[in-house]
Amino acid sequence: MKKITSILMILIICITCGNTMSQRNHDVQQNKTVKKDTIIKLNDNISLYYASYNSPMKLWYNLHIIHHKKKIKVGKGSDFKGTGSELFSSLSPNAKYVVVDGIIKEYVHESAKDSTLHENYTCAIIDIDKAKIIKQMQQDCDGSWNKKSQWISSGGKVVFASK
């Protein structure tokens, strides 16, 4: 546990180093989320749809599932609303679930002149039929689906099993 904590602290320090910018520039950049339709086709019946893009953050937002031509917003009423994407996705073999990245980028204001950009990389398993997040993770995002549509961590542990 100590080793993991140390590694996380080093990662946080590395991510935030060199990301200081003036407060004035930060305020101007933050409001640049624009409508930008981005569709990622997962198979013949399922696509991911991102309705907007924030150019300074280089993240897509407002995720929807398009399933059999019906568009449903993902994560309505959940914490996932504030996360963006670099457009990573992985569809389960049974096509009932998809893993997407959920990246949180925020500025912490250190003074009236400076702020530091902090990044937090997470991912979520989404039930495609319900367009609902059923598991949000930070540790096991580098996993993969097995033939039974279970999400397996890089260490071989079953992290999610479909019902």
Side-chain angles (χ1 to χ4, degrees):
M1 190 63 152
K2 275 185 165 182
K3 190 174 183 178
I4 292 171
T5 304
S6 298
I7 291 170
L8 286 174
M9 300 251 324
I10 291 168
L11 284 172
I12 291 169
I13 291 168
C14 289
I15 288 171
T16 58
C17 288
N19 284 331
T20 303
M21 65 189 319
S22 83
Q23 174 64 37
R24 194 169 3 116
N25 290 338
H26 164 250
D27 287 340
V28 169
Q29 286 186 347
Q30 187 174 24
N31 295 324
K32 293 211 177 184
T33 301
V34 295
K35 184 163 177 58
K36 182 178 182 179
D37 295 341
T38 303
I39 296 176
I40 300 166
K41 187 173 181 175
L42 300 176
N43 67 21
D44 289 341
N45 298 316
I46 304 166
S47 298
L48 301 177
Y49 168 75
Y50 290 91
S52 57
Y53 179 71
N54 183 303
S55 189
M57 293 292 184
K58 297 180 180 149
L59 293 176
W60 284 260
Y61 292 90
N62 300 317
L63 176 60
H64 296 72
I65 299 285
I66 301 173
H67 190 210
H68 296 292
K69 299 182 182 179
K70 182 179 178 186
K71 184 169 68 170
I72 307 167
K73 183 155 178 59
V74 172
K76 194 172 182 181
S78 76
D79 292 337
F80 198 71
K81 282 190 263 183
T83 62
S85 176
E86 292 178 343
L87 304 183
F88 165 80
S89 63
S90 179
L91 183 64
S92 66
N94 66 5
K96 291 184 178 184
Y97 306 96
V98 63
V99 173
V100 297
D101 57 347
I103 300 168
I104 302 165
K105 286 187 182 181
E106 302 179 305
Y107 284 92
V108 174
H109 303 285
E110 296 170 351
S111 72
K113 292 184 178 181
D114 294 318
S115 60
T116 301
L117 178 63
H118 289 274
E119 300 177 30
N120 188 8
Y121 290 84
T122 68
C123 63
I125 298 175
I126 298 171
D127 179 310
I128 290 172
D129 287 332
K130 298 176 184 172
K132 181 179 178 184
I133 297 158
I134 52 175
K135 184 167 182 75
Q136 200 153 3
M137 305 175 287
Q138 189 167 12
Q139 302 288 39
D140 298 309
C141 295
D142 60 348
S144 60
W145 294 107
N146 68 12
K147 291 178 184 176
K148 298 177 185 175
S149 291
Q150 298 172 320
W151 187 255
I152 308 296
S153 71
S154 60
K157 179 181 111 184
V158 175
V159 176
F160 168 78
S162 61
K163 296 176 183 179

